[in-house]
Amino acid sequence: MSTSAGKVCILQNSFEPGFIAEGDYIIAGIFPLHYNQEMPDLNCTYKPPPVKCNGFDPRAFRWAQTMRLAVEEVNQNLELLPNYTLGYKIFDSCAYPLTGQRAAMAVLNGMSEDDSPMCSGASPLLAVIGESGSAQSIVVSRILQPFQIPMISYFSSCACFTDRTKYPTFFRVIPNDDYQVKAIAQLLVRFNWTWVGVVRGDHEYGRFAVQGLMRELQGTSVCVAYQEMIPLLYNQQRALEIMQVMRSSLARVVVVFSAEGEMTPFLRDYMKQNITGIQWVASEAWVTASVFTGKEYYPYLGGTVGFGIRKGYISRLSNYLETVNPQRYPNNMLVKELWEALYGCSPSLSSASQLPPCSGQESPLKQHSAYLNTSSPRVAYNVYKAVYAIAHSLHNLLMCQPGSGPFKNQSCAQSDNVLPWQLQYYLQEVKFIIAGEEVNFDLKGDSIPYYDIINWQRGTSGNIEFVNVGLFDGTKPAGEELVIQEDMIMWAGDQSEVPMSVCSASCLPGSRKAVRRGEPVCCFDCVPCDNGKISNQTNAIECTFCPEDFWSNKDRTACISKKVEFLAYDSLGIALTVISVVGACLTIVVLAVFFYHRNTAIVRINNSELSFFILFALTLCFLCSLVFIGEPTFWSCMLRHTVFSITFSLCISCILGKTLVVLAAFTATRPGENIMKWLGPKQQRAIIFSCTLVQVVICGAWLIDANPYPSRNTKYERSKIILECSVGSSLAFWCVLGYIGLQACLCFVLAFLARKLPGNFNEAKFITFSMLIFCAVWLAFIPAYISSPGNYADAVESFAILASSFGLLFCLFAPKCYIILLKPEKNTKQHLMGKEKK
Ligand code: TRP
């Protein structure tokens, strides 16, 4: 716009650079030389004064000096950019986006109207080195974008910059925070800190870092107990609330994404509150902040761990820094402020400060580490790299051979009119080695992810020292990125043991986690595993079932094979064996007695053949209980019920035959004697045979169709395997028993009818009696059998067999033996028929 006054344009506002140097190509640097500012009164009744920056930051001042040093080095270097010089303008952003914006504008505008009398456009600015905080970098990037001026940030790590469409001209020499949050997540997992607090500042950096951390923690064992934000405009009320949360939470570990700006007032209040026992995990923004290295911080911050960005070595830096003093730069306000900050005195008499005056030639002291500690610069090294990246790119650009350039029609950039976007092309491609480290940018403008793990330990003077205790190398394959020398770490509270930060103590093997309703998964109760389930590691989520033939031990930590049980030759088995052998022997003895006395009246009158049969059958009955003892096998299972049922059938058939004979014999004394003819020995045998045959047929059918087989019963008692014989077909089983029962009942009824028949030795009476016992035993057997498990069922059956056999043996044969052996005088036909006295 032209005015009558002759001036073509008027600068709206001026913003002085802190340092300036002329050169053929100008680059700008923006640094947060103050960490705080005072907002001017914006009521617009008068022209607002410029923002007042407070809190001089010697650390950032050092970064700025590093940039100057690097530019000077490049200018002296005969190989890099020969015949050309670099110039710079360095601005202060006051660590605040708004001031950052003003700095960016000033960078573009040039300093005054005189600078550009024609107001011909932007000053010949090639690139910007800056800014520190991501929030400021975002603003600066937005302003530079329309002019396609590339910027290289030395400290803005926010993951948000990966969006190339939003930040097309953005480069950085610091790894993307995505790697840092990954590293922090791995650190938390590594030390089993499953319940952690997260605190952040109110800026893009904090927002994206916390977002990234939450994403990384998903699917891990770590839960976030709370997330708190320190407000942008520090507010003590809010800070105290945050501290209250920290104090009351079980989370001992607190991850902080913040920088000195908000951490300084926050920590001041924190120390006043006298909270201890917090293990800080610091982000790269403050893990190497020398502001907090003072003695007074140690009890509260000692033991802090965090990921620091890569350090480098700049050989000339410390000498260079020593050359900066108020004598050399008498008019530079920043150098004056540096002096005030370092020595607490004012080098110029004109200033209005109340500080005592000093010469400005004071030699730097050791305690000025925030400024002078150049042993392992990290951010300063980034600044250094950034300058060299620009110098190398520019060098490559100027070295372009006409006709083989990268631009349209193989053209090159013109050295007298280099356009920033042309430099951007070369920046994207640049690759060089500095202090042994290769520097280049990927497609998103990011650099190689590498972090040192830094631990805050007490130094000799009581100050905090940053000790390197490991590293995170993002280029390594997953799982190998994190390398920690654990024994070198000093934890919070001077502890050498890893602090605990959990919501619930871990569950020991033998129990599992049970999540509490409505609470995060990291807060849980421990529930012991159920019977038959185990957990063999700590913090098991689930108890696992033991494999089929296994069962849990008492502690539920291991599966042991189940106890196998069957009716073995243990005390019960042996007792049953003894009883059955005794029974069999007794029967054989009786058989022998009968055989020996086979010609006496009592044997003959009682149908000796049938008696022998019965005794033989009884012997078998006794012996068949032996088949029930021992481990069930294919054959023993087949034999068990069949042998038993057939021998019993045989036995009862014989008794039945005998009853019939008795009945017939006595009824035959009445008219119609020929009934005896139908019950001669042959017929008797036929009856016995056919009655037994029925049972044999049933058993045969059973064996063919659904034979009993050995089986493992795990249902009755789940901790044991019971070996038993499955009946195969229960219908057949009950048929077999039912048939015996039927025979026994029939026998009982017939014998009952014959019980009152005359005769001193009335066989029928004894048969009735024996059948009564028999039936009683087997009726009692049924419920006992059904309700007993495997091996006991076998014992019950075996016992029933023995009991009923004994019952039969005693009832039928004891009276006869008594007479044969003890009362031989009664062993006469007359006596037996009850006729002797008549
Ligand atoms: N890496 C941080 C960032 O990208 C570093 C940082 C510098 C910072 N200055 C800050 C973070 C101020 C928060 C506030 O922003």
Side-chain angles (χ1 to χ4, degrees):
M1 193 203 288
S2 68
T3 59
S4 50
K7 274 203 172 170
V8 189
C9 26
I10 299 166
L11 267 183
Q12 286 282 322
N13 217 331
S14 74
F15 197 65
E16 297 285 313
F19 290 92
I20 182 161
E22 290 303 327
D24 300 324
Y25 302 103
I26 303 290
I27 57 176
I30 305 177
F31 297 91
L33 299 175
H34 294 83
Y35 56 78
N36 213 329
Q37 24 81 73
E38 230 166 72
M39 286 303 272
D41 181 8
L42 290 178
N43 70 7
C44 295
T45 51
Y46 56 95
K47 185 180 175 191
V51 177
K52 198 164 168 274
C53 292
N54 290 330
F56 182 78
D57 186 353
R59 188 181 178 212
F61 186 80
R62 187 180 58 191
W63 303 340
Q65 297 313 311
T66 312
M67 174 169 168
R68 295 180 60 214
L69 165 70
V71 170
E72 278 172 32
E73 268 184 29
V74 169
N75 286 341
Q76 282 159 19
N77 191 329
L78 296 178
E79 268 145 47
L80 202 56
L81 290 177
N83 312 328
Y84 296 100
T85 52
L86 280 183
Y88 55 78
K89 293 183 207 165
I90 291 174
F91 289 87
D92 181 9
S93 74
C94 287
Y96 191 65
L98 211 70
T99 354
Q101 183 179 8
R102 286 165 58 97
M105 301 289 234
V107 160
L108 292 174
N109 277 334
M111 278 155 297
S112 64
E113 292 91 357
D114 318 327
D115 259 3
S116 45
M118 328 291 273
C119 291
S120 59
S123 61
L125 177 77
L126 272 190
V128 173
I129 292 183
E131 221 292 71
S132 162
S134 298
Q136 293 95 281
S137 285
I138 290 174
V139 176
V140 173
S141 167
R142 293 249 161 88
I143 292 170
L144 297 180
Q145 264 178 47
F147 311 102
Q148 266 133 17
I149 296 174
M151 65 185 278
I152 305 182
S153 172
Y154 48 86
F155 210 8
S156 295
S157 53
C158 179
C160 46
F161 287 111
T162 46
D163 189 346
R164 215 59 181 134
T165 53
K166 275 193 189 151
Y167 308 100
T169 61
F170 182 84
F171 293 89
R172 59 181 157 195
V173 279
I174 184 171
N176 181 339
D177 271 341
D178 276 344
Y179 292 101
Q180 183 178 197
V181 293
K182 209 180 196 175
I184 292 180
Q186 286 188 16
L187 185 83
L188 299 179
V189 172
R190 160 81 181 252
F191 290 115
N192 257 327
W193 293 328
T194 54
W195 192 237
V196 299
V198 177
V199 173
R200 68 169 175 100
D202 183 7
H203 35 59
E204 249 64 27
Y205 166 70
R207 196 154 61 84
F208 275 85
V210 170
Q211 232 172 53
L213 184 66
M214 300 306 266
R215 190 187 55 232
E216 288 296 328
L217 290 181
Q218 244 166 41
T220 68
S221 52
V222 182
C223 303
V224 170
Y226 55 83
Q227 262 190 61
E228 295 293 342
M229 187 174 80
I230 306 172
L232 195 57
L233 279 178
Y234 187 76
N235 167 339
Q236 194 175 31
Q237 181 76 32
R238 183 77 198 91
L240 291 181
E241 279 169 31
I242 297 173
M243 284 165 212
Q244 189 46 42
V245 172
M246 286 172 70
R247 207 196 316 243
S248 57
S249 169
L250 280 171
R252 299 284 81 204
V253 170
V254 180
V255 183
V256 184
F257 293 102
S258 176
E260 295 105 307
E262 59 263 339
M263 275 307 266
T264 315
F266 184 77
L267 284 176
R268 197 181 49 231
D269 285 332
Y270 175 82
M271 297 198 313
K272 259 190 236 144
Q273 291 294 305
N274 216 358
I275 306 173
T276 50
I278 293 284
Q279 168 68 49
W280 301 96
V281 174
S283 71
E284 104 293 342
W286 68 284
V287 76
T288 50
S290 28
V291 208
F292 305 127
T293 52
K295 265 196 196 76
E296 66 282 10
Y297 285 105
Y298 185 78
Y300 303 96
L301 294 181
T304 297
V305 284
F307 292 89
I309 52 177
R310 191 186 200 116
K311 62 184 174 196
Y313 179 64
I314 308 169
S315 51
R316 289 169 53 193
L317 184 59
S318 79
N319 284 339
Y320 187 82
L321 291 183
E322 278 169 32
T323 64
V324 180
N325 60 38
Q327 283 228 312
R328 223 174 132 186
Y329 300 93
N331 298 323
N332 193 307
M333 281 300 288
L334 292 167
V335 178
K336 210 188 85 199
E337 279 188 80
L338 173 72
W339 237 245
E340 286 177 5
L342 295 189
Y343 300 98
C345 65
S346 170
S348 69
L349 295 167
S350 61
S351 95
S353 75
Q354 285 102 45
L355 294 171
C358 50
S359 70
Q361 268 186 314
E362 284 78 7
S363 60
L365 300 170
K366 206 160 175 250
Q367 66 258 32
H368 303 141
S369 61
Y371 177 58
L372 277 181
N373 185 355
T374 52
S375 61
S376 55
R378 293 173 194 274
V379 183
Y381 178 60
N382 278 352
V383 174
Y384 192 70
K385 275 197 284 195
V387 174
Y388 270 90
I390 292 173
H392 277 278
S393 313
L394 195 58
H395 181 83
N396 293 346
L397 179 144
L398 296 171
M399 282 313 189
C400 173
Q401 296 296 325
S404 56
F407 304 119
K408 216 173 172 188
N409 303 331
Q410 266 90 50
S411 65
C412 289
Q414 283 170 281
S415 66
D416 56 348
N417 187 19
V418 178
L419 298 171
W421 59 264
Q422 292 171 325
L423 183 67
Q424 154 127 2
Y425 172 85
Y426 282 95
L427 264 178
Q428 187 75 65
E429 304 289 305
V430 79
K431 199 179 220 168
F432 60 97
I433 289 180
I434 193 167
E437 189 201 333
E438 191 184 292
V439 181
N440 64 341
F441 301 103
D442 68 9
L443 285 177
K444 290 171 183 164
D446 279 344
S447 65
I448 301 157
Y450 177 95
Y451 296 95
D452 285 328
I453 302 175
I454 288 164
N455 181 215
W456 292 19
Q457 301 186 1
R458 194 205 295 270
T460 38
S461 57
N463 278 17
I464 292 178
E465 265 174 24
F466 304 140
V467 181
N468 218 334
V469 293
L471 58 91
F472 178 90
D473 188 345
T475 56
K476 288 265 171 64
E480 290 171 30
E481 298 119 313
L482 199 63
V483 180
I484 307 180
Q485 284 166 292
E486 223 173 286
D487 44 319
M488 275 178 67
I489 304 181
M490 208 68 212
W491 299 104
D494 268 334
Q495 226 108 45
S496 54
E497 237 146 77
V498 183
M500 293 263 280
S501 189
V502 293
C503 183
S504 310
S506 47
C507 293
L508 295 176
S511 59
R512 67 171 173 86
K513 291 186 192 177
V515 180
R516 295 187 199 137
R517 243 170 198 286
E519 286 185 46
V521 280
C522 299
C523 300
F524 48 80
D525 297 312
C526 295
V527 191
C529 290
D530 288 339
N531 254 330
K533 284 177 159 189
I534 58 148
S535 71
N536 51 9
Q537 74 244 57
T538 31
N539 279 336
I541 296 169
E542 203 112 42
C543 296
T544 45
F545 276 109
C546 282
E548 203 178 314
D549 290 344
F550 291 83
W551 198 249
S552 50
N553 62 358
K554 215 175 99 234
D555 296 337
R556 311 268 188 270
T557 50
C559 287
I560 45 173
S561 30
K562 283 183 182 174
K563 263 216 330 244
V564 176
E565 279 197 356
F566 53 87
L567 184 53
Y569 289 99
D570 52 9
S571 44
L572 185 59
I574 290 173
L576 287 172
T577 314
V578 169
I579 295 172
S580 91
V581 171
V582 166
C585 293
L586 211 59
T587 321
I588 291 170
V589 168
V590 173
L591 192 68
V593 169
F594 264 57
F595 189 74
Y596 189 75
H597 295 278
R598 64 186 174 281
N599 292 323
T600 57
I602 195 156
V603 179
R604 297 185 62 200
I605 209 166
N606 277 309
N607 200 331
S608 56
E609 194 191 63
L610 279 181
S611 295
F612 289 133
F613 262 139
I614 293 173
L615 284 169
F616 170 69
L618 268 181
T619 316
L620 287 183
C621 286
F622 275 118
L623 292 181
C624 77
S625 76
L626 289 179
V627 196
F628 287 84
I629 305 166
E631 188 177 335
T633 62
F634 176 73
W635 286 110
S636 76
C637 280
M638 297 261 272
L639 283 178
R640 272 185 191 183
H641 296 111
T642 46
V643 167
F644 142 75
S645 58
I646 292 172
T647 50
F648 265 72
S649 239
L650 176 67
C651 188
I652 309 240
S653 302
C654 296
I655 299 173
L656 188 65
K658 198 166 196 173
T659 321
L660 281 176
V661 173
V662 172
L663 200 63
F666 282 95
T667 39
T669 50
R670 283 163 217 165
E673 288 216 330
N674 53 353
I675 195 162
M676 264 317 267
K677 272 194 214 128
W678 298 104
L679 270 177
K682 268 193 198 142
Q683 285 83 357
Q684 288 171 19
R685 276 183 225 140
I687 289 173
I688 294 168
F689 180 73
S690 49
C691 284
T692 316
L693 188 67
V694 173
Q695 187 71 302
V696 172
V697 169
I698 299 176
C699 286
W702 182 7
L703 291 187
I704 289 167
D705 192 46
N707 62 312
Y709 53 88
S711 74
R712 304 155 74 86
N713 183 345
T714 48
K715 274 175 217 86
Y716 181 75
E717 220 181 302
R718 289 186 302 145
S719 63
K720 288 177 189 165
I721 300 177
I722 294 171
L723 291 185
E724 58 177 21
C725 285
S726 175
V727 289
S729 148
S730 20
L731 177 71
F733 176 69
W734 292 113
C735 273
V736 158
L737 284 189
Y739 184 67
I740 298 176
L742 187 75
Q743 278 183 312
C745 290
L746 189 64
C747 197
F748 173 70
V749 171
L750 293 180
F752 188 76
L753 291 179
R755 81 190 184 286
K756 288 248 173 81
L757 293 176
N760 275 352
F761 191 84
N762 187 351
E763 179 90 79
K765 211 161 60 190
F766 298 119
I767 294 178
T768 317
F769 216 59
S770 71
M771 284 303 117
L772 215 52
I773 290 178
F774 186 86
C775 291
V777 168
W778 286 98
L779 281 179
F781 158 78
I782 293 172
Y785 180 82
I786 290 175
S787 59
S788 314
N791 51 341
Y792 292 106
D794 289 341
V796 166
E797 192 166 352
S798 180
F799 192 78
I801 291 171
L802 292 175
S804 55
S805 303
F806 271 114
L808 294 181
L809 183 65
F810 278 106
C811 293
L812 294 178
F813 296 97
K816 292 173 194 160
C817 287
Y818 174 76
I819 290 174
I820 294 171
L821 298 174
L822 301 176
K823 293 272 161 40
E825 72 277 4
K826 290 192 178 170
N827 196 350
T828 61
K829 198 168 179 178
Q830 286 79 8
H831 177 82
L832 291 175
M833 300 301 262
K835 288 175 183 166
E836 54 179 352
K837 276 176 191 160
K838 286 177 191 167

